[in-house]
Amino acid sequence: MDLEFARRGVLIDGRWREGPQTLPIEDPSTGETVGELACGGAAEVDEAVAAARGALSDAWGALSAAERGRVLAKIGQAVLAQADRLAELEARDVGKPLRQARADVVALARYLEFYGGAADKLHGETIPYLPGYTVYTLREPHGVTGHIIPWNYPMQIIGRSVTAALAMGNAAVLKPAEQASLTALAFARIAEEAGLPAGALNVVPGLGADAGAALAGHPGIDHVSFTGSTVVGAMIQAAAAKNAVPVTLELGGKSPQLVFDDADLDRALPFLVNAAIQNAGQTCSAGSRILVQRRIHDELCGRLAERFSGLTSGPAMADMDLGPIITARQKAMIEGYLETARRELTLVGQGQVAADAPAGGHYLPAAVFGGVKPDHRLAQEEIFGPVQVVIPFDDEDEAVAIANGTPYGLVAGAWTRDGDRLFRLARRLRAGQVFLNNYGAGGGVELPFGGVGRSGHGREKGFEALYGFSVLKTVAAHHG
Ligand code: ADP
Ligand code: MG
């Protein structure tokens, strides 16, 4: 692994240093420890927040919006120039098939291009008021933003969270996930070399309960954005509430894809399969429940069985359909669901693990189960693994009731040739994003993304994110 590229350490105010402790870096494809991650705790978070505050009244805060945008665009080009190294680093650290890791690099660069371009495009308004007044609004940065991110898509989430915050003139403290911090560290180094002023981005790797909790509840933080589990999200919100600061929470999901009996199955099938295999199902916006009109349930299951039987899980660098699961612990949790499923559900189809996959890697074959009742555990809970469930329904009302019948509401998809139905469903489905005759798992950089219900609140991505990463100030002038 290219550990020299991801310079390990805690980055505070442009200086890299050791932390008070280290954690092992594991390659999930082999299960081997390949290095050590320097981790920070509450003291490092304190210093990082102070450094970010300092940057706001120093070189970073002195830049114009256009200059900020130019710096971000330059970082984007530098990311692309290092695409191969970044992709390999992510593939090895997360266990993500190389092509998928490369797509994450391209997405990160695209975020930098998008938010670099948007940095000087968000402006205030003038408001008609009483005679003798001029009233206008200013869009200002929050100040110091905290970013606590998960291990499944480090680069994409840095793109949508950190780069949008920087575009609006905030400074940032990033706490990557302890299971996969390397591309966050590599990104910080690339950003530094591309001219991001010291202190604008500080990185404190470390444990969630340690560095993460310190960041979420730090009194010097003005905004917290978090992507991860619903349980931890609620803890983050509670910690931030002590300081009455806003939070953006991108949490779990159990996103449905509704397949009606007039759907173009050839078009839908790759999306229905991909929901289980993209990043080995470790995707919060995965379309991980297939709701199918009963008349075509068996036909669809037959076609899924055929597809799933052709899927192979193997080492990330071998770039197969699925890589390993991130850790032995996550794999054991998924296996718990699979045990229940094998006992209580019908296995429709299953892939395989490559015969030469290293024995220590955390591999699971992709699996799909049919005829699932909507209230079954596997139809309700986020599995975060390569497991797809097929739930039959009779009509549109029942489909909507099932689709909306979990505590989550991140994404929903609908497949039908009935145009009226598509527009009706777009309104009826409870989700932050609805895909009609396609499915995007979070969609492109331009598309606002976020949840309702237990999937969280606030929106990242697209232009909308810039509202979340800024505050509105109203200025009322009386001039007679
Ligand atoms: P997952 O279950 O996908 O690992 P988590 O919600 O546990 O997701 O973790 C997402 C991020 O939140 C990680 O960076 C993790 O270190 C961090 N985290 C975990 N627990 C806490 C906590 N109590 N306070 C703050 N951050 C935390
Ligand atoms: Mg790792």
Side-chain angles (χ1 to χ4, degrees), residues 399-466:
V400 169
I402 297 171
N404 294 343
T406 77
Y408 295 114
L410 198 50
V411 182
W415 300 91
T416 169
R417 288 191 171 95
D418 180 339
D420 290 353
R421 170 167 281 162
L422 286 172
F423 287 105
R424 262 197 319 272
L425 287 171
R427 292 198 183 265
R428 297 183 76 187
L429 292 169
R430 186 169 171 268
Q433 285 186 336
V434 175
F435 289 95
L436 306 176
N437 283 334
N438 73 108
Y439 194 90
V445 163
E446 306 85 346
L447 311 186
F449 172 67
V452 298
R454 299 289 188 273
S455 293
H457 54 79
R459 294 291 177 265
E460 288 184 337
K461 310 185 69 166
F463 204 76
E464 185 70 22
L466 301 180

Side-chain angles (χ1 to χ4, degrees), residues 139-390:
R139 278 272 162 200
E140 298 184 333
H142 289 288
V144 179
T145 55
H147 304 263
I148 300 173
I149 68 165
W151 45 262
N152 57 347
Y153 291 87
M155 284 189 284
Q156 292 220 28
I157 295 168
I158 287 169
R160 73 185 194 207
S161 177
V162 174
T163 78
L166 292 175
M168 289 314 298
N170 298 283
V173 179
L174 168 63
K175 208 298 281 176
E178 53 271 36
Q179 299 87 345
S181 294
L182 296 182
T183 51
L185 295 169
F187 171 74
R189 179 177 176 178
I190 289 170
E192 189 180 27
E193 288 169 2
L196 187 69
L201 170 62
N202 307 274
V203 186
V204 185
L207 291 171
D210 194 1
L215 185 58
H218 199 288
I221 288 281
D222 302 304
H223 181 279
V224 183
S225 81
F226 169 80
T227 302
S229 61
T230 299
V231 172
V232 174
M235 291 161 70
I236 301 280
Q237 182 158 351
K242 280 190 307 195
N243 305 312
V245 298
V247 295
T248 299
L249 300 179
E250 308 280 7
L251 309 178
K254 189 74 178 176
S255 298
Q257 299 199 58
L258 284 57
V259 185
F260 288 83
D261 62 8
D262 65 344
D264 182 342
L265 288 188
D266 291 333
R267 242 169 96 182
L269 215 57
F271 293 88
L272 304 176
V273 174
N274 192 51
I277 67 174
Q278 185 180 329
N279 203 23
Q282 305 167 112
T283 303
C284 50
S285 50
S288 55
R289 284 187 292 157
I290 300 174
L291 278 49
V292 63
Q293 202 151 17
R294 201 174 302 275
R295 200 175 67 75
I296 59 163
H297 173 269
D298 292 352
E299 179 194 351
L300 180 65
C301 283
R303 297 189 66 177
L304 286 170
E306 195 186 316
R307 293 270 181 143
F308 271 69
S309 68
L311 297 173
T312 307
S313 308
M317 292 305 290
D319 210 6
M320 295 175 171
D321 304 300
L322 294 87
I325 304 302
I326 184 80
T327 56
R329 184 168 163 270
Q330 284 292 125
K331 182 184 168 188
M333 277 167 56
I334 301 163
E335 278 175 327
Y337 282 106
L338 288 169
E339 266 167 44
T340 308
R342 282 195 206 95
R343 240 186 359 255
E344 299 172 11
L345 303 174
T346 310
L347 179 67
V348 161
Q350 183 163 294
Q352 56 274 315
V353 175
D356 56 355
H362 315 304
Y363 300 100
L364 279 176
V368 53
F369 296 88
V372 182
K373 298 264 189 316
D375 58 354
H376 192 277
R377 225 182 116 210
L378 269 90
Q380 285 288 321
E381 296 175 17
E382 184 178 44
I383 299 169
F384 229 60
V387 184
Q388 187 57 286
V389 292
V390 185

Side-chain angles (χ1 to χ4, degrees), residues 74-88:
K74 213 171 146 211
I75 301 170
Q77 283 153 14
V79 162
L80 279 185
Q82 302 275 15
D84 291 339
R85 283 178 95 183
L86 280 168
E88 181 171 344

Side-chain angles (χ1 to χ4, degrees), residues 106-153:
V106 171
L108 172 57
R110 174 75 186 114
Y111 277 111
L112 285 152
E113 178 185 47
F114 183 87
Y115 287 119
D120 58 353
K121 310 292 186 294
L122 184 66
H123 46 69
E125 297 179 313
T126 55
I127 301 174
Y129 192 50
L130 302 171
Y133 280 83
T134 296
V135 181
Y136 61 96
T137 59
L138 295 171
R139 278 272 162 200
E140 298 184 333
H142 289 288
V144 179
T145 55
H147 304 263
I148 300 173
I149 68 165
W151 45 262
N152 57 347
Y153 291 87

